[in-house]
Amino acid sequence: MREQIAALRDRSAPLARHRCTRHAAHVLRGQAQVDFLPSALTGALFSVALCAAGWAYGLYALLGTATGTATAHLFGVDRDRIAAGLEGFNACLVAVGSAVFLGPGHASTALLAVGGSAVVTVVTAAVARVLDTWQLPTLTLPFCLVATALTTAAPGFARVWHQGAAPAALPGTGGPPAGLSFTDLWHGLFANVAQIFFMPQWYVGALFLAGIFAASRTAGAMACLGSLTGTGTAWALGAPAAQIASGAAGYNAVLVAMALCGVFLPAGRRTAAYAVTGAATATVLTPALTALTAASGGHAFTWPFVLTTLVFLAAARAFPRLEAGSSARAGRPAELARTRSG
């Protein structure tokens, strides 16, 4: 399944004149596709953001994306998909996730990051074949499958797990929620964007957001709306202040909002309301999936985003007003770039 979504002009076109620069552009677009944007400029800004959190994370992201892209080339994946970065974003997340959860300073982590980034290309093809039956996109489902397998298995291997005892079940909140300060609030609004790449720093999120706006104002606006929705929902339901401030409570809401308004559905007032509903749903689903994965460390990854978005996209076909005629009224740009497809 191929979908025409994420409208923008790729400002990196001049880079594609030589083979090496073309490959570099494909890799950078792969990083940007984590947030649905086939822009090498955005991918470069994302690299800067990751390096601001720690240079190792920036290197792991590039390593994983390059590995996934090269594997796709080796297996003969459609060149248009590779050029748009569609074969790099799941690999990028696998590599960064490996660095975050297994420790970036170990040779075993680097090897697993490379291996996982190659395997996720195969998983992507398999998931695409299955979801194509319902004409649904793969999203980050391949990453979730591979990352869940890696983090669940890691404590069973002494040469892979370097963090002492295996992860224990996560405790519940217990008692009334702590007060949310203004600093917690605005930190959380930026950190929600950073946590898509597992980074809790608000300034990293600000850099990511700048990269999103550099490619698409609509995508940037929906990322902000999703962050507001995630933070507001988490606060209203009494999530711990630390989780809100670190972005752990609201990052799935950012992805859902972007996906449901302007990416897989046209941007408009109805789809914006639909996206807000989906973002709130994903925020509620996040602690549920964290509890289900507590025995292996409580890593929900982007499962809430994937499950919520697939359900809402499948349901959208029953709501004709969500797909009809809102794009021109919302000022959707004319030029379209192919991004995530099944």
Side-chain angles (χ1 to χ4, degrees):
M1 178 180 71
R2 298 179 183 276
E3 304 208 19
Q4 299 293 327
I5 51 180
L8 60 99
R9 180 188 299 108
D10 185 3
R11 303 176 186 180
S12 62
L15 292 176
R17 296 174 182 172
H18 303 288
R19 186 170 183 177
C20 290
T21 52
R22 276 203 307 270
H23 182 69
H26 298 170
V27 170
L28 291 175
R29 289 182 195 135
Q31 290 193 158
Q33 282 283 11
V34 172
D35 284 325
F36 312 102
L37 300 166
S39 166
L41 171 62
T42 296
L45 291 173
F46 282 8
S47 287
V48 172
L50 286 167
C51 288
W55 64 267
Y57 300 127
L59 288 180
Y60 268 88
L62 290 171
L63 175 66
T65 312
T67 300
T69 302
T71 303
H73 270 296
L74 180 65
F75 290 159
V77 174
D78 181 75
R79 290 188 178 184
D80 288 341
R81 283 184 54 85
I82 296 173
L86 295 173
E87 294 297 327
F89 66 93
N90 278 294
C92 175
L93 289 175
V94 167
V96 176
S98 298
V100 170
F101 298 111
L102 300 179
H106 307 287
S108 59
T109 300
L111 290 173
L112 279 176
V114 171
S117 297
V119 168
V120 81
T121 304
V122 179
V123 176
T124 298
V127 169
R129 292 292 296 272
V130 173
L131 291 180
D132 187 52
T133 304
W134 299 281
Q135 294 186 319
L136 290 171
T138 60
L139 304 174
T140 54
L141 179 55
F143 152 69
C144 288
L145 292 171
V146 172
T148 298
L150 282 175
T151 55
T152 302
F157 299 100
R159 292 188 176 90
V160 172
W161 189 254
H162 306 281
Q163 303 179 40
L170 301 180
T173 56
L180 188 69
S181 69
F182 178 73
T183 299
D184 291 334
L185 178 62
W186 71 265
H187 278 194
L189 291 174
F190 287 112
N192 287 337
V193 183
Q195 277 286 4
I196 296 170
F197 286 83
F198 319 110
M199 301 294 132
Q201 301 93 338
W202 68 267
Y203 54 87
V204 174
L207 290 171
F208 278 124
L209 194 59
I212 295 171
F213 271 108
S216 168
R217 287 180 293 178
T218 298
M222 291 313 302
C224 292
L225 182 60
S227 183
L228 282 167
T229 302
T231 297
T233 303
W235 173 80
L237 295 177
Q243 290 187 18
I244 296 174
S246 69
Y251 67 98
N252 283 288
V254 176
L255 288 171
V256 171
M258 294 175 70
L260 295 181
C261 183
V263 178
F264 297 104
L265 295 175
R269 287 175 295 180
R270 290 189 179 94
T271 51
Y274 196 63
V276 167
T277 305
T281 302
T283 304
V284 175
L285 191 57
T286 298
L289 291 174
T290 300
L292 286 175
T293 58
S296 59
H299 305 311
F301 298 117
T302 55
W303 279 111
F305 153 65
V306 169
L307 297 176
T308 301
T309 302
L310 290 179
V311 169
F312 273 63
L313 286 177
R317 292 169 190 161
F319 310 132
R321 290 182 178 178
L322 289 177
E323 296 189 351
S326 62
S327 59
R329 187 167 58 252
R332 192 181 185 190
E335 58 272 20
L336 297 177
R338 179 160 49 233
T339 181
R340 299 184 187 177
S341 62

